[in-house]
Amino acid sequence: MSSGSNDADTAPWADFLPELCVLVLDHLDVIGIIRFPAVCSDWATASKNTHCPRLLSGTPTLLTSSLDPEGYDIEYDVEPGAFGLHDVTTGKSCYGEAEGLKKRTWIGGKNDWLVTTDLRCSVELLNPITGVRVPLPSFATIPGVEVVEVRDRGPGVSFEKSPHHFQKVTPRFRMPAHRLQKVMLCRTPAHPSGYLAVALFSSGDSTGLVAFTAADDKRWTLLKNPEGLHYLGKYTDVTVHKGKVLAVATSGNICSWDMDVGTTTEPTILPPLDIDIDYWVKRVFYLATSSGGDLQLVCMFGDNEDIKDTRWWRIVFDFQWSFWPRSVLLHELDAVTDTWRRVGDLGGGRALFVGANYPFYVDVPRDGSTDPLLQADCVYVTDLINCDAGIFDLKLGDDFKFNLDARFCYPALSDPLQMPMWFRPTAALPKSTSARSIEDQQTLLL
């Protein structure tokens, strides 16, 4: 094999026969399998030419808690760093452990980078494929904020010397009491300008708080909330779009901050979305960006009758997500007219994935094949009350009503601690491999 490899002189292990490569693959865990094609071009070729089912680099997968080895049906801690990875396109599942996930939970991510935290509310970036970890600044760098350590993982109430009490479900900090809801990773450390992350904190009686940090920053920058706008509701999602930090609330209104003056200046409120949904209907919003660079707004709505939500057990959870989903609407903001328009399809060849992850699009093959799992013109949303993720078909318009057939469920545990989240495993290929072949050649065997 080495005679055909440009990197054989510096990689003697490239002399492995293809059948030995397959034997090695059969004994690797999921992290090892993902890393395998990145060792050298010959190993990438060997993994590509096997007859086993493969996951192309960048294929959407669902990240969940792992299996239940003890048979308790309840995940009592995250000490092992275990996880499950489920291929959306084939339904195949695999499980593994990552050193960087031990005693930590994921609260966001982009591509193959995760944002993780622990009960001390320390936040870091983790690439579970390469093992690289990048610490983020402490939230204590925000003026007036005191990080409160959680000594017990389970839910409950902790009383401090101050008159405020704090729920012990998630990491939180005093101001007077906010819970870390998510950290949106808008740029990964692989970006030429380094990482960029936006943290969203929720509170039981306020809109919430938004802060951001970037590579070379030594602190988090807290953005100033608008005053007197009680109709906004609670923030449900954050992102960075064209240099502005954006946060959308349950009212559908979007706050926009200039990153240079957002600490002292109130945000601009973007043009409101005219959406025909009754006020009493429960809803959450997600922010995304179209292929043309326009801002998109995903609205998932439903009702909260007869709710028995067991997700309060999660390390990271907010009860504004406690409702039965009925449908999803997608709108796009025209940058020229500054008006919203309803989007009824995604061009016939793409699917959109949203949740705690940075949203992304996936191309759906146009070869005429019918894949019940990966479908065009659909929005895939994670962490629903009755499943790990759901599929919402935009083509059906107002006639669409969510049904249990269009969902993903991996009942390894009835009460997991980790929230399900979209994840796209990739790994660096050998230097002799072109950038184009990252999408064309690199594979994960399942």
Side-chain angles (χ1 to χ4, degrees):
M1 292 181 66
S2 60
S3 60
S5 173
N6 295 332
D7 51 356
D9 293 338
T10 58
W13 49 81
D15 290 323
F16 267 26
L17 296 175
E19 51 268 30
L20 290 179
C21 291
V22 174
L23 183 62
V24 171
L25 284 166
D26 288 340
H27 290 79
L28 294 177
D29 65 3
V30 58
I31 296 298
I33 293 174
I34 297 174
R35 291 174 176 172
F36 188 87
V39 173
C40 64
S41 57
D42 285 330
W43 283 26
T45 301
S47 63
K48 180 182 179 181
N49 292 334
T50 61
H51 298 291
C52 301
R54 296 189 298 270
L55 174 65
L56 295 175
S57 173
T59 295
T61 61
L62 190 62
L63 181 67
T64 68
S65 291
S66 189
L67 294 171
D68 181 20
E70 305 298 331
Y72 296 127
D73 210 26
I74 295 176
E75 190 172 23
Y76 285 101
D77 61 60
V78 291
E79 185 170 351
F83 64 92
L85 202 57
H86 315 278
D87 179 7
V88 170
T89 62
T90 65
K92 298 285 185 179
S93 299
C94 50
Y95 301 88
E97 295 182 358
E99 182 69 27
L101 285 177
K102 290 185 176 180
K103 298 182 180 181
R104 303 186 69 84
T105 183
W106 53 79
I107 51 172
K110 181 177 183 180
N111 296 335
D112 54 0
W113 283 87
L114 300 177
V115 186
T116 70
T117 189
D118 58 14
L119 296 179
R120 296 177 177 85
C121 219
S122 68
V123 184
E124 67 180 28
L125 306 181
L126 167 70
N127 188 317
I129 311 305
T130 63
V132 174
R133 302 165 73 170
V134 180
L136 299 186
S138 168
F139 290 121
T141 58
I142 300 175
V145 167
E146 178 184 353
V147 176
V148 181
E149 180 179 350
V150 181
R151 289 181 170 80
D152 297 323
R153 181 222 36 84
V157 175
S158 173
F159 293 91
E160 306 293 335
K161 293 182 180 179
S162 70
H164 305 293
H165 66 274
F166 304 86
Q167 291 185 346
K168 297 173 68 178
V169 178
T170 63
R172 69 230 186 250
F173 63 87
R174 184 180 304 173
M175 204 173 176
H178 289 79
R179 299 191 304 274
L180 181 57
Q181 182 173 315
K182 70 164 61 174
V183 176
M184 184 60 68
L185 184 59
C186 301
R187 292 197 314 248
T188 73
H191 190 277
S193 299
Y195 67 79
L196 173 61
V198 182
L200 173 58
F201 301 91
S202 63
S203 175
D205 57 358
S206 70
T207 301
L209 296 174
V210 178
F212 73 89
T213 189
D216 299 326
D217 285 355
K218 303 299 182 182
R219 61 187 177 90
W220 287 88
T221 299
L222 185 67
L223 299 174
K224 185 176 182 178
N225 269 337
E227 297 181 2
L229 300 181
H230 303 295
Y231 63 85
L232 284 179
K234 297 182 180 180
Y235 296 136
T236 69
D237 198 18
V238 289
T239 192
V240 172
H241 181 75
K242 296 183 178 179
K244 307 288 187 180
V245 177
L246 305 181
V248 58
T250 50
S251 62
N253 292 95
I254 300 175
C255 298
S256 173
W257 291 271
D258 187 315
M259 298 174 71
D260 293 328
V261 297
T263 57
T264 57
T265 304
E266 292 186 29
T268 300
I269 307 299
L270 297 189
L273 175 66
D274 184 14
I275 185 171
D276 187 19
I277 299 179
D278 292 336
Y279 178 79
W280 59 267
V281 174
K282 295 282 289 185
R283 72 200 76 179
V284 293
F285 291 89
Y286 297 96
L287 297 165
T289 303
S290 70
S291 57
D294 290 329
L295 180 66
Q296 292 181 320
L297 186 60
V298 179
C299 173
M300 181 176 69
F301 61 91
D303 57 77
N304 60 348
E305 296 180 0
D306 300 321
I307 292 294
K308 295 181 179 179
D309 198 339
T310 61
R311 293 178 296 173
W312 60 270
W313 180 262
R314 301 270 179 86
I315 295 177
V316 177
F317 178 68
D318 192 284
F319 276 100
Q320 63 180 320
W321 271 263
S322 287
F323 63 88
W324 298 107
R326 289 184 3 220
S327 190
V328 158
L329 303 177
L330 178 62
H331 289 77
E332 190 169 289
L333 183 63
D334 189 299
V336 177
T337 63
D338 224 21
T339 57
W340 293 94
R341 68 176 183 89
R342 174 85 174 267
V343 177
D345 63 69
L346 300 176
R350 297 191 304 162
L352 174 61
F353 291 77
V354 299
N357 62 289
Y358 188 83
F360 60 86
Y361 280 94
V362 169
D363 292 332
V364 178
R366 295 174 177 264
D367 56 5
S369 61
T370 301
D371 190 334
L373 298 177
L374 185 59
Q375 303 175 26
D377 299 317
C378 289
V379 179
Y380 289 68
V381 185
T382 56
D383 202 9
L384 307 184
I385 190 172
N386 52 356
C387 56
D388 292 319
I391 308 173
F392 297 84
D393 194 337
L394 295 176
K395 298 189 299 296
L396 298 180
D398 294 332
D399 294 330
F400 177 82
K401 294 295 182 290
F402 180 68
N403 62 80
L404 297 182
D405 294 330
R407 63 174 182 167
F408 296 88
C409 287
Y410 299 97
L413 295 155
S414 63
D415 293 313
L417 289 175
Q418 304 277 22
M419 63 178 174
M421 187 181 74
W422 299 121
F423 178 76
R424 290 198 291 179
T426 62
L429 287 179
K431 294 180 181 179
S432 59
T433 306
S434 67
R436 178 178 177 81
S437 63
I438 292 179
E439 297 297 329
D440 295 340
Q441 295 183 14
Q442 184 180 324
T443 57
L444 165 63
L445 308 186
L446 296 180

